[in-house]
Amino acid sequence: MTKKKNDSQKGIENLTDEQMKAIKNTEQHLSSALQMLFECQDLYLSDIRNLEQSMWDLRRTFDLDQRDW
């Protein structure tokens, strides 16, 4: 196992359940939005809402950039 992969695995193992959930939800929302963009060259409002929710979940869960909220 490479050092980068090993470090990544250690990082994942140290995440809380809430952090892992935020990451998984964000990945799903990004994937869905990108798929819609590629297929239709458009986004539904629900995709935009999910992306915004994912952004706030990541910021809150990982204590990122508090000046915005």
Side-chain angles (χ1 to χ4, degrees), residues 34-47:
L34 285 171
Q35 183 178 357
M36 180 61 68
L37 279 171
F38 289 134
E39 289 178 5
C40 303
Q41 301 297 307
D42 197 5
L43 274 179
Y44 291 134
L45 290 176
S46 60
D47 292 322

Side-chain angles (χ1 to χ4, degrees), residues 6-43:
N6 190 32
D7 289 346
S8 178
Q9 185 63 36
K10 284 180 186 177
I12 289 171
E13 290 171 357
N14 290 324
L15 294 174
T16 66
D17 289 342
E18 185 179 5
Q19 289 171 328
M20 184 55 85
K21 181 180 176 186
I23 290 171
K24 287 180 178 183
N25 285 340
T26 299
E27 189 278 331
Q28 289 171 351
H29 293 154
L30 288 171
S31 177
S32 175
L34 285 171
Q35 183 178 357
M36 180 61 68
L37 279 171
F38 289 134
E39 289 178 5
C40 303
Q41 301 297 307
D42 197 5
L43 274 179

